[in-house]
Amino acid sequence: MKKPRTAVRSCHQKQASGHEGREKQVLSSSQVKPSTPDGTMPKFPEAPAGLARQQKEVVLRDPVSPYHLFRDTAEVTVFRENLLSWYDREKRDLPWRRRAEGEVDPDRRAYAVWVSEVMLQQTQVATVIDYYTRWMQKWPTLQDLASASLEEVNQLWAGLGYYSRGRRLQEGAQKVVEELGGHVPHTAETLQKLLPGVGRYTAGAIASIAFGQATGVVDGNVVRVLCRVRAIGADSGSTFVSQQLWSLAQQLVDPARPGDFNQAAMELGATVCTPQHPRCSQCPVQSMCRAHQRVEREQLVASQSLPGSPDVEECAPSTGQCQLCAPPTEPWDQTLGVANFPRKASRRPPREECSATCVLEQPRALGGARILLVQRPKSGLLAGLWEFPSVTAEPSGQCQREALLRELQSWAGPLPATHLQHLGQVAHTFSHIKLTYQVYGLALEGQIPVTITPPGARWLTREEFHTAAVSTAMKKVFRVYEGQRPGTCKGSKRSQVSAPSTQRKPSPGQQVLDSFFRPHHPTDVSSLNSMAQ
């Protein structure tokens, strides 16, 4: 990073205190050693030359500048005390916290934490609360979840996204019940090793919150907090920076209250140290925040309101470019303030795909109108969920109608091709795919009801559809169908009901006028605007 024109206390003056960093090695995630109880980082012995050659994953690095570290026990202690005092006053009242705090059985407590941590991955707290509550009401113990069907799990998870999480959670519960005697492993190492779908973060969260293990955790919120507190501007997604963040988290975690400390760090990132518009004035560790100090320095330099130069410490490595600072190609943005940290990694845009899908309905089926759903394969995107019959299609493909009709007939037998109507389109973005659905509808008005369906297909009522294990994308598709089929209002989520008997029956003359002005529904409405929501 280009050095400002200000006079600073260069951190290389204190390199002697961090001499052991010259021999420090960057280890794989399973090799990172925990901190000592007093909060200081342990010394890593230098590996023999022969062993270093054998273990190719160990890469020698230049020492990390002390500017980006917590250098003594006193600084660590103040950080812990300030953060935990703030958390005790300001923490949100969340159902998984209440359940974990009030549960005396360690396995049930671990299960309560496990479910919440899996649901909270890539999902906002406000969304998770309702799902978590319903989940714990239905399956309050590991044994209850282990005995549930995958269909039930997918059904409750529907709409929460990243559907493999629910499946992995149940697989983990089954392993605990069937292979581990019903007892959840107590350490982060064994949790990650033995339970499917439990990665380093989830293992650390369960171990610290449920079992009191002094192990740090790093999620998106913690990354943001640590990068700002220690002014880490290098790409936080790189292996080297990630390992440094985990080392910092391990150094800081309070051995007396590890679970509360980890939740406090995540809470700080979620409510105060937010991605945009952080509330720095309410931050309990503002006085220790390198990013805040950098903002103040840049403001002083820009305003030139003080004679001379501010005496503020900055990173000044003795040799080369600091591996934890932002590269020179990314200069400081005065408008962002502390939000200059962490550096936003460039993301690949999701690949675009197109699918043609059809809502096939039997309006006069026995027991009421029914729609056809088919089950997706057991692996891959949306594994095991139910959807309307679909085919992969080119965005401007001329054969998608024919291909879709063949797919429909493979499930329901001969169908009237002329009744297949294009209703519009919806777009839905998954984590790595932007999928555009061309939506069709086909109502079997005069057909003999289909009573036999092959394995992997179901005819469901509207009520059953809304509670089935279907994705959010399919619910979008169904809203397009409901909004465009005859007898409904455009954009409505459900069909109109019959008029109450208390309403006055229109006169014969009024009926004729209504018939005259009733809109005509064309057989093809492909010119409709996109219905993406």
Side-chain angles (χ1 to χ4, degrees):
M1 180 167 60
K2 188 176 180 180
K3 188 173 180 180
R5 292 172 294 177
T6 55
V8 298
R9 290 184 287 110
S10 175
C11 67
H12 64 72
Q13 297 172 357
K14 302 180 181 180
Q15 286 285 2
S17 64
H19 178 71
E20 73 269 18
R22 302 182 192 278
E23 309 298 335
K24 189 174 180 180
Q25 297 177 346
V26 180
L27 306 175
S28 67
S29 62
S30 61
Q31 294 173 305
V32 174
K33 304 294 191 298
S35 66
T36 55
D38 65 357
T40 59
M41 291 301 296
K43 295 183 179 181
F44 292 87
E46 184 175 6
L51 180 61
R53 285 194 299 269
Q54 295 175 9
Q55 296 179 328
K56 295 182 180 180
E57 70 275 14
V58 178
V59 181
L60 293 176
R61 296 277 187 174
D62 291 333
V64 173
S65 167
Y67 174 75
H68 300 291
L69 305 176
F70 290 86
R71 290 187 293 267
D72 54 56
T73 304
E75 192 175 22
V76 170
T77 300
V78 171
F79 186 94
R80 291 171 178 169
E81 291 176 348
N82 289 358
L83 183 59
L84 284 169
S85 295
W86 169 84
Y87 179 70
D88 291 338
R89 296 190 311 269
E90 304 293 339
K91 65 180 178 181
R92 291 171 292 178
D93 180 25
L94 299 172
W96 43 89
R97 288 177 180 165
R98 293 195 302 269
R99 186 175 285 267
E101 291 169 0
E103 182 56 68
V104 295
D105 181 88
D107 292 308
R108 295 184 68 145
R109 183 168 62 245
Y111 171 61
V113 175
W114 186 2
V115 173
S116 69
E117 291 300 336
V118 172
M119 286 188 172
L120 286 165
Q121 295 168 12
Q122 305 294 325
T123 310
Q124 294 182 347
V125 167
T127 302
V128 169
I129 289 175
D130 181 57
Y131 280 90
Y132 181 84
T133 301
R134 288 189 287 115
W135 182 286
M136 298 305 291
Q137 288 174 346
K138 190 174 183 65
W139 302 301
T141 68
L142 279 162
Q143 289 73 16
D144 294 323
L145 177 58
S147 62
S149 68
L150 180 57
E151 176 71 15
E152 290 178 299
V153 171
N154 284 338
Q155 186 173 336
L156 196 150
W157 201 276
L160 196 55
Y162 299 90
Y163 295 90
S164 62
R165 295 180 297 168
R167 184 177 70 253
R168 291 286 187 87
L169 184 54
Q170 188 194 31
E171 290 173 357
Q174 291 171 339
K175 183 165 186 177
V176 169
V177 172
E178 297 170 5
E179 301 180 25
L180 303 179
H183 299 297
V184 180
H186 284 205
T187 67
E189 295 76 15
T190 53
L191 282 160
Q192 187 175 357
K193 179 180 179 180
L194 297 177
L195 299 184
V198 174
R200 187 178 185 184
Y201 162 76
T202 305
I206 297 172
S208 61
I209 299 171
F211 299 116
Q213 182 187 9
T215 183
V217 299
V218 175
D219 74 340
N221 289 315
V222 175
V223 166
R224 187 163 54 257
V225 169
L226 293 180
C227 283
R228 289 174 180 173
V229 168
R230 295 293 91 174
I232 297 175
D235 182 3
S236 60
S238 70
T239 301
F240 177 71
V241 176
S242 177
Q243 295 298 352
Q244 295 301 321
L245 293 174
W246 277 96
S247 295
L248 283 173
Q250 186 62 48
Q251 178 188 13
L252 291 172
V253 65
D254 191 328
R257 299 176 61 186
D260 285 343
F261 180 88
N262 286 335
Q263 290 183 90
M266 292 185 281
E267 187 86 342
L268 183 65
T271 62
V272 173
C273 195
T274 52
Q276 297 178 344
H277 311 297
R279 298 184 292 168
C280 294
S281 62
Q282 300 179 33
C283 179
V285 293
Q286 183 193 67
S287 62
M288 310 174 72
C289 180
R290 300 282 195 213
H292 183 69
Q293 294 166 8
R294 173 73 184 271
V295 170
E296 291 184 325
R297 185 185 75 212
E298 295 291 342
Q299 290 175 343
L300 287 171
V301 172
S303 65
Q304 298 181 348
S305 58
L306 295 178
S309 301
D311 183 20
V312 180
E313 183 178 3
E314 71 162 359
C315 179
S318 56
T319 60
Q321 166 67 30
C322 173
Q323 297 182 70
L324 294 182
C325 283
T329 55
E330 296 189 16
W332 178 266
D333 187 339
Q334 189 74 25
T335 64
L336 293 178
V338 299
N340 277 279
F341 304 97
R343 175 186 169 193
K344 294 180 175 60
S346 58
R347 292 184 178 181
R348 292 182 180 180
R351 71 175 187 267
E352 296 192 5
E353 296 184 1
C354 185
S355 177
T357 187
C358 179
V359 180
L360 180 61
E361 180 176 11
Q362 296 189 78
R364 301 181 182 181
L366 297 176
R370 294 180 180 273
I371 51 181
L372 179 65
L373 291 179
V374 298
Q375 193 169 30
R376 291 186 59 84
K378 298 297 183 183
S379 60
L381 183 68
L382 306 176
L385 296 187
W386 294 83
E387 66 179 4
F388 300 115
S390 306
V391 294
T392 302
E394 295 297 327
S396 58
Q398 299 299 315
C399 300
Q400 65 178 229
R401 284 179 66 97
E402 290 78 5
L404 183 58
L405 186 62
R406 287 193 297 270
E407 177 71 10
L408 291 168
Q409 290 173 339
S410 70
W411 294 105
L415 297 171
T418 57
H419 292 182
L420 185 63
Q421 297 182 3
H422 182 256
L423 304 179
Q425 69 179 33
V426 294
H428 188 81
T429 301
F430 300 93
S431 58
H432 58 293
I433 300 173
K434 181 181 180 182
L435 189 52
T436 299
Y437 294 90
Q438 299 297 333
V439 182
Y440 289 80
L442 199 164
L444 304 180
E445 293 287 356
Q447 300 289 110
I448 299 176
V450 179
T451 57
I452 300 177
T453 54
R458 290 179 178 177
W459 289 94
L460 301 182
T461 65
R462 278 171 170 72
E463 291 73 19
E464 291 169 336
F465 169 79
H466 288 297
T467 59
V470 297
S471 67
T472 301
M474 285 299 105
K475 292 180 179 179
K476 289 182 179 181
V477 167
F478 191 61
R479 285 200 291 269
V480 173
Y481 174 77
E482 287 286 76
Q484 296 301 325
R485 68 192 185 91
T488 63
C489 296
K490 183 177 180 180
S492 65
K493 293 187 178 181
R494 61 179 64 219
S495 59
Q496 291 179 331
V497 297
S498 301
S501 59
T502 55
Q503 291 183 348
R504 293 180 59 185
K505 186 176 181 179
S507 65
Q510 183 64 45
Q511 293 178 19
V512 172
L513 287 173
D514 290 346
S515 177
F516 180 83
F517 288 109
R518 184 175 297 123
H520 171 65
H521 294 277
T523 57
D524 186 6
V525 288
S526 57
S527 61
L528 291 172
N529 293 331
S530 169
M531 296 292 292
Q533 297 180 25

